[in-house]
Amino acid sequence: MDRSGAVGVMLPRDLAPSQVLPYARRADELGFDELWVVEDLGFRGGVAQAAAVLAATERVRVGIGLLPVGARNAAFAAMEVATLAQLFPGRVDIGIGHGMPAWMRSVGEWPASPLTLLEEYLRAVIALTGGDAVEPGEYVALDAVRLEGACVPDAPPLVLAGVRGPRSLAVSGRVADGTILAEPTTPEYVRAALGHIDAHRPHRLVGYNAAAVHADAAVAVDAVRAGLEWIGEPDWAPHLAPLPFADEFAVLRRESGSREEFVRRLPEEWVRQLAVTGTPADARARLGELFAAGVDSVVLIPVGAEPFQVMESLAEVL
């Protein structure tokens, strides 16, 4: 495996509060390059988690994946981002995205033009954390707002867009410092996404994947199935369209009466392509394929009932 790419691990969103900081410290000790925290509706806030785990660790880079544009005023989001970057220089990446449509509608924050809001929001956060002001837009109506000089970080963090669809990927390539691809990230999806991103400056690509590793490959493949339950839903269509088995996949999902039946029936070959799994050697080979396709950082999503045990096994790929 080419270790020119980074390998990160995700902090499970439902860890017991007493386990959050020990988990972060252990990820740091095990040598993961990155630790990503999640902001999903109804779970824990992304900024608070990031601040806590940054303070509790020494080395590991921390990413927030991701802050929905409808959840915070762009100026106040930039203040949070700049604060993290000043307190923990060089250790923070910020993911920003639309948010899941159903979640954002449930809190009354889904705009008439999600693409316009995303582009304006990304531009505003990037400009403000760099010490600049922004012109008022259709949604991000900031009037001569800028951060005080003492609060502008010397090195603003990378602001990445967490998006899927072709038009959103194009916005990311035009405006953001990088893109976060949700799971499953396959080499085929990476190449398709990069074609839509079409960035003309340095652009960091982060790919999430469900992951389980075991000395017995069959045990790992069986374990990781639980992390693939949602990928047959409509929102995941962009991930699946480039795959050679996309049509067969769609038929299987239609024929399955539940998500549990669907993942149980997934052929082992498909599971291996939709996750980072198998033996440590299998997983390292898959990481190498993802790096070769253009991913700069692969973030492993631990799948299993014992988060610490799963993370220890994932560390064998490092």
Side-chain angles (χ1 to χ4, degrees), residues 128-165:
L128 291 169
T129 55
D132 298 323
V134 291
E135 293 294 323
E138 181 180 346
Y139 289 100
V140 181
L142 303 181
D143 183 9
V145 175
R146 66 191 326 142
L147 299 186
E148 294 296 323
C151 299
V152 175
D154 293 334
L158 295 183
V159 175
L160 298 85
V163 290
R164 314 176 194 266

Side-chain angles (χ1 to χ4, degrees), residues 107-130:
V107 297
E109 295 293 347
W110 189 251
S113 177
L115 288 169
T116 302
L117 173 56
L118 178 67
E119 182 156 354
E120 291 182 359
Y121 199 99
L122 287 167
R123 289 189 186 278
V125 172
I126 291 170
L128 291 169
T129 55

Side-chain angles (χ1 to χ4, degrees), residues 9 11-13 20-21 24-25 28 34-40 43-67 72 77 80-95 157-158:
V9 66
L11 193 155
R13 64 184 185 178
V20 170
L21 297 186
R25 293 189 190 102
D28 200 13
E34 300 170 4
L35 176 68
W36 284 74
V37 301
V38 179
E39 179 167 279
D40 284 347
F43 290 86
R44 297 186 176 106
V47 176
Q49 288 183 89
V53 300
L54 282 161
T57 54
E58 298 292 332
R59 174 199 57 82
V60 71
R61 191 180 185 99
V62 175
I64 302 177
L66 44 82
L67 304 179
R72 295 172 183 81
E80 300 280 13
V81 169
T83 300
L84 289 175
Q86 282 197 314
L87 296 178
F88 307 99
R91 293 184 58 203
V92 186
D93 290 324
I94 307 298
L158 295 183

Side-chain angles (χ1 to χ4, degrees), residues 183 209-214 216-231 263-264 266-268 270-278 300-305 310 314:
E183 71 284 358
N209 266 311
V213 173
H214 194 276
D216 184 336
V219 171
V221 170
D222 187 56
V224 85
R225 290 177 184 274
L228 301 175
E229 284 189 358
W230 289 95
I231 65 171
V263 293
R264 190 169 61 247
L266 281 173
E268 179 179 337
W270 295 5
V271 174
R272 285 177 174 270
Q273 293 183 62
L274 294 166
V276 174
T277 191
L300 305 177
I301 303 173
V303 180
V310 176
L314 295 180

